[in-house]
Amino acid sequence: MTTKIRTSKLYVFTIFYFMLFGLFIAVFISLINYNIHFSKNSKELNNSAHSITESKQRQVTAFIASVEQTLHSIEYSNLFDNFVADPHSPTKKRVLQELMRTITMSNEDYFQVRLLDKNGMEIIRIEQDSDSSTLRLVPDHALQNKHNRYYFKEASAFQPHTFWHSHLDLNIEHGTIERPLRPSFRVALPIYRETLFYGLLIINVDMRSFLNSIVSDTVFNTYLIDNEGYFISHYQDNLSWSRYLGSTTTIFDEMPEYASQIMDNKSFNNGQIFTFSLEDQFTNGENIKMILVPKLDFIEQQHENAYKLALYIALLTLAFALPMGGLFAIGPARLQARLNNLLKENLKYTDIIDHYVVTSETDLRGRITKVSSAFCNLSGYSKEELIGKSHSTVSKGDTSSKEYRKLWKTIRKGSVWSGELHEKAKDGTDYWVHTTILPEYDEKHKLVYYTAISYDITDKKRVETLSKIDTLTQLGNRAMLDNELTSEIERVRRYTSSLSVIMLDIDHFKQINDNYGHLKGDEVLQKISAIIKSSIRKTDKAGRWGGEEFLILCPETTLDNAAVLAENLRKQIELLDFGEVCRQTASFGVTAYQETDTVSTLVNRTDRALYQAKETGRNRVVTL
C-alpha cells in the first residue's frame, strides 16, 4: 500500500515537475519568439521602406522622363522643323497642330500642350478637359501673351536642351483654384534655332492619377512635403495642399519631434519614420520629400499577431509536456504542417516569378535547360521548343555576333555580363531586352551553368528609334546623321581606315511642289528614299539631310567606289517612272575623308561637289 502511495506521489511529482519544466520552456520560448518576431518585423519594415523608396524614385523619374521625351519628340520632329522654317504657312501650322493634338489625346494626363514664341505669345494651344472627354484646339483669337508669367520668364532663360520644371501646385482657372482640385505640374523646353531663342514648348500635366499612384500603399501612411514643410499630399485628404488651401498645418505640427531632422537631411530613418528626397527628380527648387509612416492598424496587427503567436506557442508547449509518449509525436506533426505552409508560400512566390520575370538557365555549351513562362510569353516559343536549343537558334534578332562574342568571353571568365539584346519573337516581331547573365557555381566553386534575368525594354527602344527617324522617308534624320558622322570620323582616325560621303539633291524639286502639290513632292521623296535603301549596304548610313537633300555615309569605302554607288543611284532615279511627275533626276556630290577633316569640313566639301554638279548641268556625279 505504501509503495503504491509512493509510486503515485512520484508519478504526481514527475508530472508536476515535467509540467513545471514545460511551463518554463513555454514561457522562455514564447519570450524569445516574441522578440524575434518583432525584430523580424522591424527589419522587414525597414526593407519594405527601402524598396518603396527606390520604387517611388524610379516611378517619378520615369514619369518625368516620359513628359520630357514627349517635348523632345515634338522639337525633333520634321513637322516642327518645317513649321519653324515657314511659320506663316497655314498648312504647316495645321500639320503641327495635329501632331500636338495627337500627343495630347494619347495621354489623358496632359491637359495643356502649348507652343509660345520668343515674345511669350501663344502660337498653338491644345486643351483637354479634366475628365479627358473633350479635346480642343484654342482658336487664334483666344490665344494669349504669357511674357509676364513666371514660367515664361524662368524657362526662357534656360540653355538649349534643358528642361524647366514648375512647382507642384493646384491649377487655377480665372483667378480661383479649380474644383475639384487638379494638381498640376509644368515641364517646359526652350527652343533654339541657330543659337537664337525661338520660343517654348510647354506641357501642363494633370498630376491627380500619378500622385495617387505614388502615395498609395497598404503598409505606410504617405506624405509629400515641400521645402517649407507644407503638405503637398497627406493621407488625410483635408490636410493636402496646405499651402494653397489656407491651412497652416506643416510637418512641424504633425511630427514636431522629428520635423527639423526631416527638413535638414536628404533622408531620415528612425525605424518608424522613413524619409527620402525627390529633389533629383523634381528639379524645381521645392526640395520635395516623401515621408513613410507605418499605419497604426498595421502596427497593432503586428502586436496582436506576435501576442497570439506567443500565446499559441506557450499553450502548445504545455500540451506537449503532458503525456510524455503520445504528445511527443504532435510536435513534429505540427512542425510539418508549418513547413508545408511555408512550402506552399514558396511555391506561390516561385509561380509569380515564373509568370512575371523573364529568366532562363543555360548549360556551359550554351544549351537552354530551363526557362520561365514569362520568357515564353515574350518570345512566343513554348518551353518544349526552347529546352535543349541555343539562344541564337530561337532568337534571330539584330544583335551583332561581335556583341555575342563579347558576352560569352565575359561570362566564361566567371564575370557578370549586363547589356541590351535585340531579339526576334517566333512570329517575327522584334523586341528588346535588358539582360544580366550570372555564372552559377557548385559547392566546390566549379562553374556549372549560367542564369539570365531580363526585362522588356521594347517600348523604350522604339521611342529612341522614332527620335532618329525621318517620318516621311523612314530614313535617318539630321540628328542621327550628325551623330553617325561624328562616330565615323572618330573610327577612321582610330583605325586609319576610309570613309566616303555622298550628298544628293533632287533637281528642280520646287517645281514639283509648285506644279503638282506637296503630296506629289512627298511621293517623289519616298520613292527616291526607297531606291537609296535598296542600293546601299547594311554598314552604310543614309538619311534625309534636309528638304530634298539626302546624305549617305559609306564606311570602308574609297572615293572611286563611292562615285560608282552615286552613279548607280543617279541612273536608277533617272530611269524610274514617277507617275504624274514623269521623270526626275538628281545631282550628286561625293568626297572622301582626309586626314585633317572635321565634320564641318567634310560636309562642306561634299556640299561644294554637289554645287558643282548642279552648276554644270545637273543629273551628274561630281567628286572632290
Side-chain angles (χ1 to χ4, degrees), residues 388-414:
K389 304 288 181 59
S390 69
H391 278 279
S392 60
T393 301
V394 295
S395 300
K396 301 181 183 300
D398 290 338
T399 303
S400 67
S401 57
K402 180 180 179 182
E403 184 66 22
Y404 277 120
R405 287 195 298 272
K406 181 180 178 182
L407 181 159
W408 278 104
K409 183 178 179 182
T410 301
I411 62 177
R412 280 171 175 159
K413 291 192 302 184

Side-chain angles (χ1 to χ4, degrees), residues 484-486 488-490 492-493 498-503 545 551-554 559 589-609 624:
E484 291 294 341
L485 269 168
T486 302
E488 286 299 329
I489 287 179
E490 290 176 355
V492 171
R493 289 173 178 168
S498 57
L499 168 68
S500 293
V501 180
I502 301 171
M503 183 181 290
W545 188 246
L551 197 71
I552 305 171
L553 310 183
C554 304
L559 181 61
V590 185
T591 194
Y593 173 82
Q594 298 174 7
E595 186 175 353
T596 59
D597 267 341
T598 63
V599 171
S600 177
T601 59
L602 184 60
V603 171
N604 287 341
R605 191 165 60 254
T606 314
D607 190 61
R608 291 201 308 272
L624 277 181

Side-chain angles (χ1 to χ4, degrees), residues 232-505:
I232 296 173
S233 177
H234 194 289
Y235 76 95
Q236 295 178 328
D237 291 340
N238 63 309
L239 295 179
S240 296
W241 304 105
S242 56
R243 176 190 292 275
Y244 301 96
L245 299 180
S247 171
T248 58
T249 305
T250 67
I251 191 67
F252 294 94
D253 304 306
E254 190 87 5
M255 304 173 189
E257 296 180 38
Y258 309 108
S260 295
Q261 292 173 277
I262 291 172
M263 296 301 296
D264 293 341
N265 295 283
K266 200 166 185 178
S267 62
F268 174 74
N269 175 3
N270 68 350
Q272 290 298 316
I273 298 175
F274 307 89
T275 304
F276 62 92
S277 173
L278 294 175
E279 63 179 293
D280 292 336
Q281 287 73 35
F282 290 106
T283 57
N284 55 10
E286 282 189 291
N287 295 329
I288 294 174
K289 289 185 173 68
M290 179 172 278
I291 303 172
L292 304 175
V293 179
K295 294 182 178 180
L296 182 60
D297 55 353
F298 174 80
I299 299 297
E300 291 175 347
Q301 185 65 45
Q302 294 300 308
H303 280 278
E304 184 179 349
N305 290 344
Y307 174 75
K308 287 181 178 179
L309 184 60
L311 181 62
Y312 170 77
I313 291 175
L315 293 175
L316 186 62
T317 306
L318 282 175
F320 284 168
L322 287 176
M324 296 265 313
L327 292 181
F328 276 162
I330 295 177
R334 298 269 184 177
L335 183 59
Q336 184 64 45
R338 294 180 68 186
L339 289 173
N340 287 338
N341 288 333
L342 289 173
L343 179 60
K344 289 179 181 178
E345 287 294 313
N346 286 336
L347 290 174
K348 181 177 74 174
Y349 287 119
T350 300
D351 187 61
I352 291 173
I353 292 173
D354 178 65
H355 280 82
Y356 296 103
V357 181
V358 179
T359 62
S360 65
E361 291 180 4
T362 308
D363 64 23
L364 299 183
R365 296 184 302 161
R367 301 292 177 180
I368 299 172
T369 58
K370 184 178 180 181
V371 292
S372 66
S373 298
F375 189 106
C376 296
N377 293 336
L378 183 62
S379 68
Y381 290 94
S382 67
K383 290 186 178 182
E384 291 74 20
E385 291 174 311
L386 293 169
I387 301 299
K389 304 288 181 59
S390 69
H391 278 279
S392 60
T393 301
V394 295
S395 300
K396 301 181 183 300
D398 290 338
T399 303
S400 67
S401 57
K402 180 180 179 182
E403 184 66 22
Y404 277 120
R405 287 195 298 272
K406 181 180 178 182
L407 181 159
W408 278 104
K409 183 178 179 182
T410 301
I411 62 177
R412 280 171 175 159
K413 291 192 302 184
S415 300
V416 175
W417 181 89
S418 184
E420 296 178 351
L421 298 174
H422 185 189
E423 307 288 15
K424 191 178 292 291
K426 184 179 179 180
D427 62 2
T429 58
D430 292 318
Y431 65 92
W432 285 84
V433 288
H434 186 282
T435 300
T436 299
I437 303 178
L438 305 94
E440 302 287 356
Y441 300 87
D442 60 15
E443 62 274 9
K444 297 180 180 179
H445 202 66
K446 180 182 178 182
L447 184 62
V448 288
Y449 64 94
Y450 306 101
T451 297
I453 304 171
S454 307
Y455 61 91
D456 189 0
I457 59 170
T458 304
D459 289 342
K460 169 178 172 288
K461 299 301 291 186
R462 284 174 179 165
V463 169
E464 290 177 359
T465 300
L466 287 174
S467 69
K468 299 175 183 178
I469 296 298
D470 176 72
T471 54
L472 177 64
T473 64
Q474 294 302 302
L475 293 175
N477 58 22
R478 181 69 173 264
M480 183 278 283
L481 288 170
D482 285 337
N483 289 336
E484 291 294 341
L485 269 168
T486 302
S487 299
E488 286 299 329
I489 287 179
E490 290 176 355
R491 182 189 62 80
V492 171
R493 289 173 178 168
R494 186 181 304 115
Y495 299 108
T496 319
S497 56
S498 57
L499 168 68
S500 293
V501 180
I502 301 171
M503 183 181 290
L504 67 107
D505 184 276

Side-chain angles (χ1 to χ4, degrees), residues 185-227:
F185 177 61
R186 300 170 185 83
V187 180
L189 174 64
I191 305 299
Y192 286 80
R193 287 295 182 271
E194 302 296 337
T195 72
L196 296 178
F197 176 63
Y198 174 81
L200 291 180
L201 279 168
I202 305 175
I203 293 180
N204 290 26
V205 185
D206 185 335
M207 299 292 284
R208 284 176 296 184
S209 60
F210 179 71
L211 287 179
N212 286 339
S213 72
I214 66 170
V215 300
S216 299
D217 194 80
T218 57
V219 176
F220 295 96
N221 287 324
T222 306
Y223 310 78
L224 286 177
I225 61 172
D226 62 19
N227 54 6

Side-chain angles (χ1 to χ4, degrees), residues 60-75:
V60 174
T61 298
F63 179 80
I64 295 176
S66 71
V67 180
E68 293 177 346
Q69 182 61 44
T70 299
L71 288 171
H72 263 322
S73 69
I74 297 173
E75 180 196 17

